Amino acid sequence: MPINSVKRGVQLGDHLFEDSILRSSILYGGNEHWSVDLPTVLSILERIAAGEADAREMRDELLRATKWDSGCCSDCDLAVSHFPKARHRHEESLRQWEEEQQLRDLANLPYVLNKGKIHTSSCRRPPRPAPPMFPEDLHTFAVLMEGYGGNLEQVFDHIADQASGGASQISSAEVTAMMARDGAAAVKSRLCGACKPRLPALDSTAPQGQPACWEWVLPSDIDAVATPGVTPATVNVLPHERNAYAKLERWHDGRCAVCGQSHAVSRLVRNHDHPSGLIRGLLCSSCNTAEGRTDSLLFNNYRHRPPSVILGIEVLYLPAGFQPGTHHLGVSAR
């Protein structure tokens, strides 16, 4: 049974109860029930007993206090100020969507992606891409806002996701990028069994199979890196390798070596080669997880020529909390 507590001043006659707490609850069947806190009730009774207020007037004032400003419910009261702005924003995004659709070259978008499945553009199974639909009334919008804690950005993300079940028309290059990242076998498992789309060709030199770090410019002063002191980033790096690791971090500049997306340095993961124990480069958590599970063109290219190879450095990957001199590398000496 939903309960809403509203703390607000209640004007009863010529007296303002500034700390009154009104509670509404929706009973089974949709009926709304109101209650007021005991101190307010006692104050009302005392004023009536003293002849300072009329009981019927107090009753009418209480009934007026329980009327929602929106005329509907507490959720609508909270959302009503956002509704016009949100509707205007949706109208702007709708115009933009229609302009983008007119500019799209459908001949170069032979696939439809829907809920992870890949179809041909002529397949009848998935819904056609359509603009997101805005809630028709204030109450529907209010319930949606309440479900996302009042976060308008998340509301619009939800609306966009619901458009045509999330169907989108995609190009051969986008499918090729999926194959390069996830592997051809994984992409084949996502093909629609009814329309049986054919996958584009993927060769070892496909641009989509090249990690982002291959395009990074190597600064002429990359070697001019002072040996850093012990920091949270270098505490588990051997002293004689800290200069090399500082060079690696400087070149990455917060970027993931595979996807190229920027992150806080502290959120990048030290990806390493397990047989040798040497760090390859810094990856975002998503790419690092995929690297350990995927034998695809993109990750094979990354393993063959990672940042450490490009920079010509070797830095041993040490367990978290390692302190030089404690002799707990976790590998047997050979």
Side-chain angles (χ1 to χ4, degrees):
M1 180 172 62
I3 297 177
N4 296 299
S5 293
V6 182
K7 185 175 181 179
R8 60 184 179 185
V10 179
Q11 185 74 42
L12 298 176
D14 60 354
H15 185 74
L16 177 64
F17 294 90
E18 296 182 354
D19 296 321
S20 294
I21 300 176
L22 300 176
R23 289 186 175 87
S24 69
S25 54
I26 307 300
L27 304 178
Y28 295 108
N31 296 322
E32 191 174 55
H33 174 76
W34 281 88
S35 61
V36 66
D37 62 290
L38 184 59
T40 300
V41 173
L42 293 176
S43 297
I44 292 173
L45 292 177
E46 289 173 357
R47 295 192 68 225
I48 293 174
E52 298 175 359
D54 180 77
R56 292 184 178 181
E57 290 180 356
M58 293 293 99
R59 180 200 62 186
D60 294 341
E61 292 288 352
L62 273 176
L63 289 175
R64 275 192 287 271
T66 60
K67 297 297 183 183
W68 295 111
D69 296 336
S70 61
C72 182
C73 63
S74 60
D75 289 341
C76 287
D77 264 25
L78 295 173
V80 67
S81 61
H82 300 282
F83 191 55
K85 181 180 178 181
R87 183 181 288 279
H88 176 73
R89 174 176 167 178
H90 174 73
E91 291 171 352
E92 290 294 327
S93 63
L94 184 59
R95 279 194 289 270
Q96 182 179 352
W97 186 89
E98 291 172 346
E99 291 173 359
E100 291 174 352
Q101 293 305 305
Q102 293 175 359
L103 296 174
R104 291 172 74 85
D105 183 2
L106 299 182
N108 291 322
L109 300 171
Y111 301 96
V112 172
L113 180 65
N114 184 51
K115 297 181 179 178
K117 282 289 185 181
I118 302 172
H119 309 257
T120 62
S121 58
S122 59
C123 183
R124 297 183 178 181
R125 286 195 171 188
R128 298 298 93 185
M133 302 301 294
F134 193 75
E136 296 180 358
D137 55 74
L138 172 63
H139 185 73
T140 306
F141 172 75
V143 171
L144 196 57
M145 272 203 72
E146 194 277 334
Y148 286 97
N151 189 316
L152 197 57
E153 296 302 321
Q154 292 185 14
V155 169
F156 272 97
D157 288 344
H158 169 83
I159 292 173
D161 290 342
Q162 295 303 308
S164 299
S168 60
Q169 290 180 280
I170 58 176
S171 65
S172 296
E174 290 174 284
V175 175
T176 302
M178 292 182 195
M179 296 167 62
R181 180 179 177 85
D182 303 333
V187 176
K188 284 181 180 178
S189 68
R190 305 171 195 163
L191 299 180
C192 171
C195 65
K196 295 180 171 60
R198 295 182 61 182
L199 292 176
L202 177 66
D203 59 59
S204 58
T205 61
Q208 296 89 342
Q210 299 178 6
C213 62
W214 285 14
E215 299 294 326
W216 295 350
V217 177
L218 193 65
S220 57
D221 61 345
I222 189 66
D223 291 318
V225 179
T227 303
V230 179
T231 67
T234 62
V235 67
N236 60 334
V237 174
L238 292 173
H240 66 278
E241 294 178 344
R242 286 176 185 158
N243 190 56
Y245 186 76
K247 183 189 299 186
L248 179 72
E249 274 200 337
R250 180 183 177 188
W251 191 53
H252 269 273
D253 192 26
R255 300 169 295 184
C256 169
V258 172
C259 69
Q261 294 296 313
S262 295
H263 301 266
V265 175
S266 61
R267 297 186 65 84
L268 291 176
V269 181
R270 297 173 183 179
N271 177 261
H272 68 289
D273 174 63
H274 286 264
S276 67
L278 295 175
I279 293 176
R280 296 192 187 107
L282 306 179
L283 303 183
C284 65
S285 58
S286 176
C287 286
N288 187 61
T289 300
E291 190 279 322
R293 300 175 178 175
T294 308
D295 187 26
S296 65
L297 174 62
L298 176 63
F299 288 104
N300 278 334
N301 281 341
Y302 162 75
R303 297 181 194 106
H304 176 70
R305 190 165 174 258
S308 61
V309 171
I310 296 173
L311 294 175
I313 62 173
E314 289 189 355
V315 179
L316 190 64
Y317 179 85
L318 301 176
F322 171 81
Q323 296 290 336
T326 55
H327 308 295
H328 64 280
L329 289 178
V331 294
S332 57
R334 293 183 180 271

